[in-house]
Amino acid sequence: MITAQENLEKDKESIAVDCKKLVLEGKIVCLPIYPKNYNFPVDDILLDKIEDQNTEVFNSKWDNQVFNPYWNENLTLPFQLEFNEEDFSSPVNGKMVVTSRYGWRRGRPHQGIDIDLHTGDSVKTILGGKIRYVGYHGGHGNTIVVRHHNGLESVYAHLSKILVKENDDVKRGDVIGKGGVTGNARGSHLHLEVRYHGKSINPEYLFEFAKETKIRSDVLFVTKKWVTPRYHRSTRKSNIVVHTTIDDIARIEEEQKKIYTVRKGDTLSRIANKYGLAISQICKTNSIRSNSVLKIGQQIIINL
């Protein structure tokens, strides 16, 4: 005969003590973790879906020869990214020093961030995944592209040596190459990009490049601002406000609007540089043309 105490202990064993987050069909699924002595029946259908989805993510337009196999794809914005990790690995040993940021630089888009290192220093993958591309790619020089489990890809450029080959599986923090100055590089550094379906994303919107190396959220919505270098300046860090729900986008963008009153000597170019915005963005927000003449006292909506 089972006693009340034994029933209580059995009930305790059937209560999940934690959960394992997995990305499934674009959503985060929590698989419950039970005490080790509890024989919980595993949902085989759910596990099959997870395996099928992971296979699809890795194989979608998988190409070892082309740097960007998504070149002819139009990505719908905003889009959702989900992570089943809380932090990432620093791509370099020691302190990460960002010397140039994602944004407009010397009249051209800089689609990643530059991190200081010396030639020969180890370069590590920020997340686990699979090597999709290895090769010499134009201004990037020796380049490695890693595809991760949520479809995100990370790019490591200007390498002096490559230590992996196509289709290798890698874990977060694995050494994949050595830093250098190959390609169009001014001094030794690591050029790091993150891309989703070929679209570059400001890496600092997703990752905190600080001592803690935190991923900013397990769910992020990426808007046009964060995939457009013209909206940022490579010489300064952008103001990071993360969108974690679709409702956040409209609310936060409305909160960030401010009114600027035109002063003597102001031009659209000067105002755009002041706030780190593209002239086209200011024109679109205010329904004016890029050659419009500004009047002293005119009010301009600035959408930060």
Side-chain angles (χ1 to χ4, degrees), residues 32-215:
I33 298 175
Y34 291 86
K36 62 181 181 180
N37 58 336
Y38 180 65
N39 186 21
F40 179 76
V42 177
D43 189 336
D44 291 334
I45 295 177
L46 179 59
L47 293 180
D48 287 344
K49 284 185 178 181
I50 292 170
E51 184 176 352
D52 290 344
Q53 194 245 356
N54 285 340
T55 301
E56 183 180 351
V57 167
F58 278 123
N59 292 338
S60 174
K61 294 195 176 181
W62 188 270
D63 194 320
N64 296 139
Q65 305 302 316
V66 178
F67 173 77
N68 178 17
Y70 302 101
W71 62 271
N72 62 346
E73 179 178 314
N74 291 320
L75 184 61
T76 301
L77 295 166
F79 60 85
Q80 183 177 343
L81 275 178
E82 296 183 346
F83 295 88
N84 56 13
E85 305 97 340
E86 293 183 354
D87 52 22
F88 66 100
S89 171
S90 169
V92 299
N93 291 325
K95 184 179 179 180
M96 284 183 289
V97 178
V98 179
T99 58
S100 185
R101 294 187 143 85
Y102 181 94
W104 208 242
R105 186 177 71 175
R106 297 191 292 272
R108 300 180 63 184
H110 185 232
Q111 300 191 74
I113 62 172
D114 294 343
I115 300 174
D116 192 33
L117 52 61
H118 294 101
T119 298
D121 285 353
S122 294
V123 171
K124 300 176 289 184
T125 181
I126 57 175
L127 297 169
K130 193 171 185 177
I131 306 296
R132 184 184 62 75
Y133 174 91
V134 171
Y136 194 97
H137 180 253
H140 283 138
N142 292 328
T143 303
I144 298 172
V145 178
V146 182
R147 183 173 292 182
H148 306 293
H149 300 288
N150 60 356
L152 193 72
E153 292 192 329
S154 54
V155 179
Y156 309 80
H158 304 318
L159 304 176
S160 62
K161 190 172 184 180
I162 292 172
L163 302 177
V164 290
K165 61 184 184 299
E166 294 94 341
N167 303 319
D168 279 352
D169 292 315
V170 290
K171 299 188 297 294
R172 179 180 62 185
D174 279 355
V175 175
I176 56 176
K178 300 290 184 179
V181 290
T182 58
N184 183 20
R186 298 185 178 187
S188 60
H189 65 272
L190 170 66
H191 175 77
L192 174 70
E193 296 182 7
V194 289
R195 292 171 171 263
Y196 185 75
H197 283 236
K199 203 77 164 175
S200 70
I201 307 171
N202 187 330
E204 293 182 280
Y205 179 68
L206 307 180
F207 306 107
E208 295 184 43
F209 289 91
K211 185 177 180 180
E212 293 77 17
T213 62
K214 292 292 184 183
I215 298 173

